[in-house]
Amino acid sequence: MTLKHVTPFSIAYQSADAAMADPGLGGLPEWDLSVFYSSIEDPAIEQDMADAKKLAEQFEVDCKGKLAEIAERSGDELAEIIRRYEELEDMMGRTGSFAGLSYAGNTTDAAHQKFYGDVQEKLTTASLHLLFFTLEMNNVDDAVLENALRSEKLAYYRPWLEDLRKERPHERSEEIEQLFHEKHVTGAAAWNRLFDETISGSRYEIDGEELSIEQTLTLLQNPDGEVRRKAASALSKTFGKNLSVFTLITNTLAKDKDTYDRWHNFDDIADSRHLANRVEREVVDALEEAVRAAYPRLSHRYYAMKAKWLGVEKMHFWDRNAPLPQADTRDIPWTEAKSTVLDAYKKFSPELAEIAEQFFDKNWIDAAARPGKSPGAFSHPTVPSAHPFVLVNYQGKTRDVMTLAHELGHGVHQVLAAPNGALMAPTPLTLAETASVFGEMLTFKDLLANAETPEKRQIMIASKVEDMLNTVVRQIAFYTFERQVHELRKEGELTAEQISAIWMGIQEESLGDAIDLEGGYENYWTYIPHFIHSPFYVYAYAFGDCLVNSLYAVYEEAEDGFEQKYFDLLKAGGTKHHSELLAPFGLDATDPAFWQKGLAVIERLIDELEEMDQAD
């Protein structure tokens, strides 16, 4: 099993690196990483990695082969061993986080590339001395461990120990796990880097000017249809040039995952992701089934309505995210985006806003879009002894404001969960999306309440529906695509044409007849990073959106007490199963009706848009 501090740096984004932001947006912050080190040349980095290796070696000498005996002898003593292990995780995680964030800030710079690679390799070497620990812990007899848990100190770690036990059916011998662990740097992690650096270095020519993918994708939201067409054409052309590279990466990683899954006794191609998310396969299957069945009521219906608004029978695929004719397309200054999000957070909870404001005041945000910077947006929790960092590529669009609200939700969640420590602060992806989507919803509802005219209300609702369709319909379509690609890869290597055919078939199913996908869309699967960095990650977005739709309905109907329950959910981090966390709100994700409630929220917004349309 892969240790946290050497997990490939996960970038939750939808596009790639951007050119410099418009100066009209105001001063855009860049993060201050000095909580870790002064720079990538800081001599403390080498010293810390050497110390980590030495401490890991000593930990192995002190503990290997002795855990069962220690557990039988003293729960307090075993708790102290776990505490030492946790401290090592945090120590290595600090260096790994700094390397990952530094690399994200400049993925195309040779010095940062080398630094990131070197740190990964050294941390992997050091962590080999820790790999025995979780394997040996899972060999401690259940009865012995349960008796040891009478210790108050050890009982603190019960949630982590119970989660660890869930890994037991999928663990192999220490020697085999060491091989998988050590080969990861030259396997999946290397292919991840190749993808990142290919995307970050790619350029897209429009009217003689070379743009980054972030800039080019942003043009798909331009009010001018001809601009959107040119952007789509440029994307298709460059994707086509790199098609063989992306096809090789996809085939290699799918085969690599299949090999890992077979050796670790996972039956279904997504089971390892479900285990990491602490969610049952049946729950995810029910989610996928519910969303796919709802395509006609949601995306098909909305895009048919949007085509009519744009004055066409069928939209081209490059018009899917086009602004409506009356939409406000001005650039929103950074200061306005900040106040918009913080004001919405504050109306729900002053404490929520106070935590979020730290990200602005203490330079925990990198907002400027610049050459070589990692694309899109993410919030990296780093380690409990530090604090999270948020990356966005702010370009002044309404969606950028909502992205800021989303990532700050993650950041607040990570701050609140951090006191659980390095082992129990991390939250499963399915629940990690709760605070982010809730933050978006708070911001949307606040803006909607201030809509000055019915026309502005209509445009805002339409924009929110599109965001929800991108979060629910699009991500489940992505999940279905991944499933088909990984299943077919078991039978042999896939050609680019085969992958593109799968892509097009699933996009047609999810988007409906109102969108014409001809003209270059067949290769758009190539730039989706989640397929590369985190296979089957994408369903977590749909899970989180449907969950928050239901949660927000409870909030609107709730009397006193909702805020405290919500904070308790966020503070729990990874210490509780989703069923425990949702129970106080009267929600149950194992109930098929749960997903229908979440989807019904989107459906009602589309109903409202139809009523407005008919009234006009």
Short mmCIF file of all heavy atoms in Angstrom, two decimals, residues 257-258 261 266-281 284-285 288 479-480 482-483 486-487 490 535-537 539:
data_model
loop_
_atom_site.label_atom_id
_atom_site.label_comp_id
_atom_site.label_asym_id
_atom_site.label_seq_id
_atom_site.Cartn_x
_atom_site.Cartn_y
_atom_site.Cartn_z
N LYS A 257 -2.56 -0.32 -13.42
CA LYS A 257 -3.60 -0.45 -12.40
C LYS A 257 -4.16 -1.87 -12.37
O LYS A 257 -4.42 -2.43 -11.30
CB LYS A 257 -4.73 0.55 -12.63
CG LYS A 257 -5.77 0.56 -11.51
CD LYS A 257 -6.84 1.58 -11.72
CE LYS A 257 -7.76 1.64 -10.49
NZ LYS A 257 -8.30 0.32 -10.12
N ASP A 258 -4.35 -2.45 -13.54
CA ASP A 258 -4.85 -3.83 -13.60
C ASP A 258 -3.89 -4.78 -12.91
O ASP A 258 -4.31 -5.69 -12.17
CB ASP A 258 -5.06 -4.23 -15.06
CG ASP A 258 -5.55 -5.67 -15.20
OD1 ASP A 258 -6.60 -6.00 -14.59
OD2 ASP A 258 -4.90 -6.46 -15.90
N ASP A 261 -4.22 -4.25 -9.16
CA ASP A 261 -5.50 -4.78 -8.66
C ASP A 261 -5.48 -6.29 -8.57
O ASP A 261 -6.00 -6.88 -7.60
CB ASP A 261 -6.64 -4.31 -9.57
CG ASP A 261 -6.99 -2.84 -9.38
OD1 ASP A 261 -6.46 -2.22 -8.44
OD2 ASP A 261 -7.79 -2.32 -10.18
N PHE A 266 -8.40 -7.25 -5.84
CA PHE A 266 -9.57 -6.39 -6.06
C PHE A 266 -10.37 -6.99 -7.22
O PHE A 266 -9.84 -7.25 -8.29
CB PHE A 266 -9.15 -4.96 -6.39
CG PHE A 266 -8.62 -4.20 -5.22
CD1 PHE A 266 -7.27 -3.90 -5.10
CD2 PHE A 266 -9.49 -3.76 -4.22
CE1 PHE A 266 -6.79 -3.19 -4.01
CE2 PHE A 266 -9.02 -3.05 -3.12
CZ PHE A 266 -7.66 -2.77 -3.02
N ASP A 267 -11.65 -7.20 -7.00
CA ASP A 267 -12.49 -7.85 -7.99
C ASP A 267 -12.89 -6.91 -9.12
O ASP A 267 -12.85 -7.27 -10.30
CB ASP A 267 -13.76 -8.42 -7.34
CG ASP A 267 -13.44 -9.52 -6.34
OD1 ASP A 267 -12.43 -10.23 -6.55
OD2 ASP A 267 -14.17 -9.66 -5.35
N ASP A 268 -13.31 -5.71 -8.76
CA ASP A 268 -13.80 -4.76 -9.75
C ASP A 268 -12.74 -3.69 -9.99
O ASP A 268 -11.95 -3.36 -9.10
CB ASP A 268 -15.10 -4.11 -9.25
CG ASP A 268 -15.70 -3.15 -10.26
OD1 ASP A 268 -16.35 -3.63 -11.21
OD2 ASP A 268 -15.50 -1.93 -10.11
N ILE A 269 -12.72 -3.12 -11.21
CA ILE A 269 -11.69 -2.15 -11.56
C ILE A 269 -11.71 -0.89 -10.70
O ILE A 269 -10.71 -0.21 -10.59
CB ILE A 269 -11.82 -1.75 -13.05
CG1 ILE A 269 -13.25 -1.30 -13.36
CG2 ILE A 269 -11.38 -2.86 -13.96
CD1 ILE A 269 -13.43 -0.80 -14.76
N ALA A 270 -12.85 -0.59 -10.08
CA ALA A 270 -12.94 0.63 -9.25
C ALA A 270 -12.92 0.31 -7.76
O ALA A 270 -13.01 1.22 -6.93
CB ALA A 270 -14.20 1.41 -9.58
N ASP A 271 -12.76 -0.95 -7.39
CA ASP A 271 -12.85 -1.32 -5.97
C ASP A 271 -11.75 -0.68 -5.12
O ASP A 271 -11.99 -0.35 -3.95
CB ASP A 271 -12.81 -2.84 -5.81
CG ASP A 271 -14.18 -3.48 -5.97
OD1 ASP A 271 -15.17 -2.73 -6.08
OD2 ASP A 271 -14.26 -4.72 -5.98
N SER A 272 -10.56 -0.52 -5.67
CA SER A 272 -9.50 0.10 -4.88
C SER A 272 -9.84 1.56 -4.57
O SER A 272 -9.54 2.06 -3.48
CB SER A 272 -8.15 0.01 -5.61
OG SER A 272 -8.21 0.65 -6.87
N ARG A 273 -10.48 2.25 -5.51
CA ARG A 273 -10.92 3.62 -5.25
C ARG A 273 -12.04 3.64 -4.21
O ARG A 273 -12.06 4.48 -3.31
CB ARG A 273 -11.41 4.27 -6.55
CG ARG A 273 -12.01 5.66 -6.38
CD ARG A 273 -11.03 6.66 -5.83
NE ARG A 273 -9.88 6.82 -6.72
CZ ARG A 273 -8.72 7.36 -6.35
NH1 ARG A 273 -8.55 7.78 -5.11
NH2 ARG A 273 -7.72 7.45 -7.21
N HIS A 274 -12.98 2.69 -4.32
CA HIS A 274 -14.07 2.63 -3.34
C HIS A 274 -13.51 2.39 -1.94
O HIS A 274 -13.98 3.00 -0.96
CB HIS A 274 -15.06 1.50 -3.69
CG HIS A 274 -15.69 1.63 -5.04
ND1 HIS A 274 -15.85 2.83 -5.68
CD2 HIS A 274 -16.21 0.68 -5.87
CE1 HIS A 274 -16.44 2.63 -6.85
NE2 HIS A 274 -16.66 1.34 -6.98
N LEU A 275 -12.52 1.52 -1.85
CA LEU A 275 -11.91 1.25 -0.55
C LEU A 275 -11.25 2.50 0.01
O LEU A 275 -11.41 2.84 1.18
CB LEU A 275 -10.88 0.12 -0.66
CG LEU A 275 -10.12 -0.23 0.62
CD1 LEU A 275 -11.07 -0.73 1.71
CD2 LEU A 275 -9.04 -1.28 0.34
N ALA A 276 -10.51 3.21 -0.84
CA ALA A 276 -9.85 4.45 -0.40
C ALA A 276 -10.88 5.48 0.02
O ALA A 276 -10.64 6.27 0.96
CB ALA A 276 -8.99 5.00 -1.53
N ASN A 277 -12.03 5.48 -0.62
CA ASN A 277 -13.10 6.43 -0.30
C ASN A 277 -13.98 5.95 0.85
O ASN A 277 -14.91 6.67 1.26
CB ASN A 277 -13.98 6.68 -1.53
CG ASN A 277 -13.32 7.58 -2.53
OD1 ASN A 277 -12.38 8.30 -2.21
ND2 ASN A 277 -13.81 7.57 -3.77
N ARG A 278 -13.74 4.72 1.32
CA ARG A 278 -14.56 4.13 2.38
C ARG A 278 -16.04 4.19 2.02
O ARG A 278 -16.89 4.56 2.82
CB ARG A 278 -14.31 4.85 3.73
CG ARG A 278 -12.87 4.78 4.21
CD ARG A 278 -12.40 3.34 4.42
NE ARG A 278 -11.06 3.25 4.97
CZ ARG A 278 -10.00 2.82 4.29
NH1 ARG A 278 -10.12 2.47 3.02
NH2 ARG A 278 -8.82 2.71 4.88
N VAL A 279 -16.32 3.82 0.78
CA VAL A 279 -17.70 3.78 0.31
C VAL A 279 -17.94 2.44 -0.37
O VAL A 279 -17.04 1.88 -1.01
CB VAL A 279 -17.99 4.95 -0.67
CG1 VAL A 279 -17.16 4.86 -1.94
CG2 VAL A 279 -19.46 5.04 -1.00
N GLU A 280 -19.12 1.91 -0.21
CA GLU A 280 -19.44 0.59 -0.75
C GLU A 280 -19.69 0.68 -2.26
O GLU A 280 -20.24 1.66 -2.75
CB GLU A 280 -20.68 0.03 -0.05
CG GLU A 280 -20.52 -0.16 1.45
CD GLU A 280 -20.55 1.15 2.24
OE1 GLU A 280 -21.08 2.15 1.71
OE2 GLU A 280 -20.03 1.17 3.37
N ARG A 281 -19.29 -0.38 -2.97
CA ARG A 281 -19.48 -0.41 -4.42
C ARG A 281 -20.94 -0.23 -4.79
O ARG A 281 -21.28 0.45 -5.75
CB ARG A 281 -18.97 -1.73 -5.00
CG ARG A 281 -18.98 -1.77 -6.53
CD ARG A 281 -18.94 -3.19 -7.09
NE ARG A 281 -17.81 -3.95 -6.58
CZ ARG A 281 -17.65 -5.26 -6.80
NH1 ARG A 281 -18.56 -5.93 -7.49
NH2 ARG A 281 -16.61 -5.90 -6.32
N VAL A 284 -21.99 3.43 -4.98
CA VAL A 284 -21.52 4.12 -6.19
C VAL A 284 -22.29 3.63 -7.41
O VAL A 284 -22.66 4.42 -8.29
CB VAL A 284 -20.00 3.92 -6.38
CG1 VAL A 284 -19.52 4.62 -7.64
CG2 VAL A 284 -19.24 4.43 -5.16
N ASP A 285 -22.56 2.33 -7.46
CA ASP A 285 -23.36 1.78 -8.58
C ASP A 285 -24.74 2.43 -8.62
O ASP A 285 -25.27 2.75 -9.70
CB ASP A 285 -23.50 0.27 -8.44
CG ASP A 285 -22.20 -0.48 -8.73
OD1 ASP A 285 -21.26 0.16 -9.25
OD2 ASP A 285 -22.12 -1.68 -8.42
N GLU A 288 -24.36 6.00 -10.00
CA GLU A 288 -24.17 6.00 -11.45
C GLU A 288 -25.48 5.68 -12.17
O GLU A 288 -25.86 6.36 -13.14
CB GLU A 288 -23.10 4.99 -11.86
CG GLU A 288 -22.82 5.00 -13.37
CD GLU A 288 -21.92 3.89 -13.83
OE1 GLU A 288 -21.75 2.90 -13.09
OE2 GLU A 288 -21.40 3.98 -14.96
N TYR A 479 -16.83 8.82 -15.40
CA TYR A 479 -16.68 7.56 -14.66
C TYR A 479 -17.05 6.37 -15.55
O TYR A 479 -16.33 5.36 -15.58
CB TYR A 479 -17.56 7.59 -13.41
CG TYR A 479 -17.56 6.32 -12.58
CD1 TYR A 479 -16.41 5.88 -11.96
CD2 TYR A 479 -18.73 5.58 -12.42
CE1 TYR A 479 -16.41 4.71 -11.19
CE2 TYR A 479 -18.74 4.42 -11.64
CZ TYR A 479 -17.58 3.99 -11.04
OH TYR A 479 -17.58 2.85 -10.28
N THR A 480 -18.13 6.50 -16.29
CA THR A 480 -18.55 5.43 -17.20
C THR A 480 -17.49 5.23 -18.28
O THR A 480 -17.17 4.08 -18.64
CB THR A 480 -19.89 5.78 -17.86
OG1 THR A 480 -20.85 6.08 -16.83
CG2 THR A 480 -20.41 4.63 -18.70
N GLU A 482 -14.23 5.86 -18.03
CA GLU A 482 -13.09 5.18 -17.41
C GLU A 482 -13.35 3.69 -17.25
O GLU A 482 -12.48 2.86 -17.51
CB GLU A 482 -12.80 5.78 -16.04
CG GLU A 482 -12.06 7.08 -16.08
CD GLU A 482 -11.61 7.50 -14.69
OE1 GLU A 482 -12.43 8.06 -13.94
OE2 GLU A 482 -10.45 7.25 -14.33
N ARG A 483 -14.55 3.35 -16.80
CA ARG A 483 -14.87 1.94 -16.59
C ARG A 483 -14.72 1.16 -17.90
O ARG A 483 -14.15 0.07 -17.92
CB ARG A 483 -16.28 1.78 -16.02
CG ARG A 483 -16.45 2.24 -14.59
CD ARG A 483 -17.76 1.71 -13.99
NE ARG A 483 -17.76 0.26 -13.95
CZ ARG A 483 -17.25 -0.47 -12.96
NH1 ARG A 483 -16.72 0.11 -11.92
NH2 ARG A 483 -17.29 -1.78 -13.02
N HIS A 486 -10.93 0.87 -18.97
CA HIS A 486 -10.17 -0.06 -18.14
C HIS A 486 -10.62 -1.51 -18.36
O HIS A 486 -9.77 -2.42 -18.33
CB HIS A 486 -10.30 0.32 -16.66
CG HIS A 486 -9.40 1.45 -16.26
ND1 HIS A 486 -8.25 1.29 -15.55
CD2 HIS A 486 -9.49 2.79 -16.51
CE1 HIS A 486 -7.66 2.46 -15.35
NE2 HIS A 486 -8.41 3.39 -15.91
N GLU A 487 -11.89 -1.73 -18.59
CA GLU A 487 -12.37 -3.08 -18.85
C GLU A 487 -11.81 -3.60 -20.18
O GLU A 487 -11.32 -4.73 -20.28
CB GLU A 487 -13.90 -3.13 -18.88
CG GLU A 487 -14.56 -3.00 -17.51
CD GLU A 487 -14.42 -4.26 -16.65
OE1 GLU A 487 -13.74 -5.22 -17.07
OE2 GLU A 487 -14.97 -4.25 -15.53
N LYS A 490 -8.08 -4.70 -20.46
CA LYS A 490 -7.73 -6.05 -20.00
C LYS A 490 -7.56 -7.02 -21.16
O LYS A 490 -6.84 -8.01 -21.06
CB LYS A 490 -8.81 -6.57 -19.04
CG LYS A 490 -8.87 -5.85 -17.70
CD LYS A 490 -9.95 -6.46 -16.83
CE LYS A 490 -10.02 -5.78 -15.47
NZ LYS A 490 -11.04 -6.40 -14.58
N PRO A 535 -7.41 7.52 -11.01
CA PRO A 535 -8.47 6.78 -11.70
C PRO A 535 -9.72 6.63 -10.84
O PRO A 535 -9.64 6.32 -9.65
CB PRO A 535 -7.82 5.41 -11.95
CG PRO A 535 -6.36 5.71 -12.01
CD PRO A 535 -6.13 6.81 -11.01
N PHE A 536 -10.86 6.92 -11.45
CA PHE A 536 -12.19 6.79 -10.83
C PHE A 536 -12.44 7.81 -9.72
O PHE A 536 -13.40 7.70 -8.97
CB PHE A 536 -12.43 5.36 -10.33
CG PHE A 536 -12.21 4.33 -11.40
CD1 PHE A 536 -11.13 3.47 -11.35
CD2 PHE A 536 -13.06 4.26 -12.48
CE1 PHE A 536 -10.92 2.55 -12.36
CE2 PHE A 536 -12.85 3.35 -13.50
CZ PHE A 536 -11.78 2.49 -13.44
N TYR A 537 -11.59 8.82 -9.64
CA TYR A 537 -11.81 9.93 -8.71
C TYR A 537 -13.13 10.64 -8.98
O TYR A 537 -13.81 11.11 -8.08
CB TYR A 537 -10.65 10.92 -8.87
CG TYR A 537 -10.65 12.17 -8.01
CD1 TYR A 537 -9.67 12.37 -7.04
CD2 TYR A 537 -11.60 13.18 -8.17
CE1 TYR A 537 -9.65 13.52 -6.27
CE2 TYR A 537 -11.59 14.33 -7.40
CZ TYR A 537 -10.61 14.49 -6.44
OH TYR A 537 -10.59 15.62 -5.68
N TYR A 539 -16.24 10.24 -9.73
CA TYR A 539 -17.59 10.06 -9.18
C TYR A 539 -17.76 10.78 -7.86
O TYR A 539 -18.88 11.06 -7.42
CB TYR A 539 -17.97 8.59 -9.07
CG TYR A 539 -17.29 7.80 -7.95
CD1 TYR A 539 -17.66 7.96 -6.62
CD2 TYR A 539 -16.32 6.83 -8.25
CE1 TYR A 539 -17.06 7.22 -5.60
CE2 TYR A 539 -15.73 6.08 -7.25
CZ TYR A 539 -16.09 6.29 -5.93
OH TYR A 539 -15.50 5.56 -4.93
#
